[in-house]
Amino acid sequence: PYTTLFRSGSTITWTTDEATKSEIYYSAVTPVDVNSNATAKVSDSNMTKEHSLNISGLASGALYHFVIKSTDGSNNSSYSSEGSFTTSI
């Protein structure tokens, strides 16, 4: 994924080989627990190959970890490896 950083958030952009809806789970702790209802997430239910999600409301100058979940039209899901970014100061 490609990450654009700003003071209180990040925009994460990526592509998939087929149209999927997407979710990004994110946390200040690692590993990111995608099975916990307490883990913050952003999502987009549009089926597309080109994805871009904005995560806002984050602390400036802080390290965050994320995992992307992609789900296709047959409800098959896959998860990315964990990535990280630090917001701008």
Side-chain angles (χ1 to χ4, degrees):
Y2 176 75
T3 306
T4 302
L5 303 174
F6 48 97
R7 174 168 252 172
S8 61
S10 175
T11 300
I12 300 174
T13 305
W14 73 100
T15 59
T16 50
D17 61 354
E18 64 179 308
T20 65
K21 59 184 178 181
S22 55
E23 297 174 297
I24 298 177
Y25 296 84
Y26 62 96
S27 175
V29 297
T30 186
V32 176
D33 186 356
V34 298
N35 296 310
S36 171
N37 289 332
T39 302
K41 71 177 178 177
V42 293
S43 60
D44 182 0
S45 61
N46 293 318
M47 300 294 283
T48 183
K49 293 182 178 183
E50 303 286 329
H51 306 272
S52 183
L53 284 173
N54 181 42
I55 302 171
S56 60
L58 304 177
S60 63
L63 175 65
Y64 289 91
H65 307 273
F66 67 92
V67 173
I68 298 169
K69 177 184 178 184
S70 298
T71 305
D72 68 14
S74 298
N75 213 29
N76 298 309
S77 296
S78 63
Y79 295 85
S80 70
S81 56
E82 188 172 295
S84 64
F85 60 88
T86 301
T87 55
S88 301
I89 296 176

